[in-house]
Amino acid sequence: MVLDVRDDGPGFDPDVRAGHDGGFGLVAMRQRIEALSGALRIESEVGGGTGISACLPADTPEAGT
């Protein structure tokens, strides 16, 4: 299963936001996805918007299969 979200907002520097700015949102999102054997990819640049892609296997125990 794949979920892609893109926006055209102000963007950010991913190296700065990788958990070193005091925020926890993206870090928590990555931890939750990886706990389900998935992968999270974040692409952003200042002035260029942001894209987030979450990939999860469809056969996780939590999915009931």
Side-chain angles (χ1 to χ4, degrees), residues 2-3 8-9 17 20 24 26 29 36 38 41 48 50-51 55 60-61:
V2 177
L3 172 68
D8 60 355
R17 293 289 292 265
H20 303 291
F24 192 64
L26 296 176
M29 187 184 304
L36 295 170
R41 185 170 152 186
T50 301
C55 300
T60 61

Side-chain angles (χ1 to χ4, degrees), residues 33-45:
I33 296 291
E34 290 177 354
L36 295 170
S37 301
L40 183 71
R41 185 170 152 186
I42 301 168
E43 296 177 351
S44 188
E45 76 177 67

Side-chain angles (χ1 to χ4, degrees), residues 12-25:
F12 58 89
D13 181 342
D15 293 329
V16 173
R17 293 289 292 265
H20 303 291
D21 68 343
F24 192 64

